[in-house]
Amino acid sequence: NAGVTQTPKFQVLKTGQSMTLQCAQDMNHEYMSWYRQDPGMGLRLIHYSVGAGITDQGEVPNGYNVSRSTTEDFPLRLLSAAPSQTSVYFCASRLTSGGVTGNTIYFGEGSWLTVV
Amino acid sequence: GENVEQHPSTLSVQEGDSAVIKCTYSDSASNYFPWYKQELGKRPQLIIDIRSNVGEKKDQRIAVTLNKTAKHFSLHITETQPEDSAVYFCAASRDYSSASKIIFGSGTRLSIRP
């Protein structure tokens, strides 16, 4: 298993540009989510999904869109990038159907995004 | 909405001493509380977790305690070593539920002094 795979790892955007951060997992996890990590702010939840076709907002959803057309993929879209969106982005997934390891959250390696 | 508060934000301890990090949560329906360790430039990784039907859990030098009544839980690291230096995050969620979003605390940067 590759686990949780995020691309790209590094990206520089100009203000107003759009882009998509890709996230894929091969563990058949129902739950997928996106977090952003800023210095001193911890991991803040942007959007999450508990299954294909279901998405919901987290703590800081403004400026971001998501969709979940398959169990494996959960892309994060920035429609019009702003300097305030400069951050490290982590995709994470887990099972929600129980089991000994059902609650373990697996993170991708992170995507470093700079908006200038 | 749900909130997880974590203290302190930074912690420096002498090698060999103990370190304690505390978290409080607001959602009384939360029943799963993991702790993650993040080394510089890497992804967070699970180090220990606890469910609400258990008051304490230990794994070698690491232990977590939970007080459901007060809605707080703590991470205890004994006999600290240089490799314990990292950022630690607590989190809270509802277990096996469609409302299963995971909310993290703001993190504690732990430094171990030689």
Side-chain angles (χ1 to χ4, degrees):
Chain A
N1 286 352
V4 180
T5 304
Q6 281 182 242
T7 57
K9 187 151 187 174
F10 299 99
Q11 182 74 49
V12 178
L13 282 179
K14 292 183 179 179
T15 298
Q17 285 185 319
S18 63
M19 78 157 298
T20 299
L21 296 175
Q22 302 290 345
C23 178
Q25 51 87 15
D26 60 357
M27 298 174 282
N28 204 30
H29 285 176
E30 297 100 332
Y31 177 94
M32 296 186 73
S33 56
W34 279 100
Y35 293 87
R36 60 177 288 173
Q37 184 174 27
D38 304 297
M41 299 295 289
L43 293 159
R44 291 186 292 170
L45 181 64
I46 303 171
H47 286 285
Y48 69 104
S49 167
V50 297
I54 305 169
T55 64
D56 208 344
Q57 297 182 347
E59 303 168 278
V60 288
N62 293 341
Y64 306 94
N65 280 351
V66 292
S67 60
R68 186 91 181 271
S69 57
T70 67
T71 300
E72 295 78 19
D73 301 297
F74 191 48
L76 178 72
R77 283 183 285 276
L78 286 71
L79 296 179
S80 179
S84 61
Q85 293 178 303
T86 294
S87 189
V88 182
Y89 292 83
F90 286 98
C91 181
S93 72
R94 74 169 187 178
L95 285 170
T96 57
S97 54
V100 175
T101 60
N103 276 295
T104 302
I105 306 157
Y106 295 86
F107 284 88
E109 291 187 313
S111 296
W112 275 254
L113 177 65
T114 301
V115 183
V116 297
Chain B
E2 296 92 334
N3 187 45
V4 176
E5 294 191 357
Q6 183 171 346
H7 300 281
S9 57
T10 60
L11 180 60
S12 178
V13 301
Q14 195 75 33
E15 182 177 351
D17 288 351
S18 295
V20 180
I21 302 170
K22 298 181 178 181
C23 290
T24 60
Y25 60 98
S26 61
D27 181 7
S28 57
S30 295
N31 53 12
Y32 175 67
F33 308 93
W35 286 87
Y36 280 75
K37 176 183 180 181
Q38 185 182 30
E39 296 176 348
L40 189 63
K42 296 190 176 180
R43 73 186 91 186
Q45 293 196 306
L46 179 73
I47 55 171
I48 195 168
D49 57 12
I50 191 168
R51 288 188 170 82
S52 58
N53 59 345
V54 175
E56 184 176 5
K57 184 177 179 180
K58 289 183 180 180
D59 183 3
Q60 300 182 337
R61 297 186 296 108
I62 294 173
V64 57
T65 59
L66 172 65
N67 183 326
K68 281 186 63 180
T69 303
K71 292 193 285 187
H72 68 70
F73 55 113
S74 301
L75 177 72
H76 305 254
I77 306 174
T78 59
E79 302 173 12
T80 53
Q81 300 170 4
E83 54 264 35
D84 295 329
S85 293
V87 178
Y88 292 81
F89 292 98
C90 62
S93 76
R94 300 181 188 182
D95 199 0
Y96 310 138
S97 160
S98 61
S100 56
K101 61 183 175 181
I102 302 114
I103 301 297
F104 283 84
S106 55
T108 296
R109 183 173 298 278
L110 175 62
S111 300
I112 307 301
R113 303 190 303 271

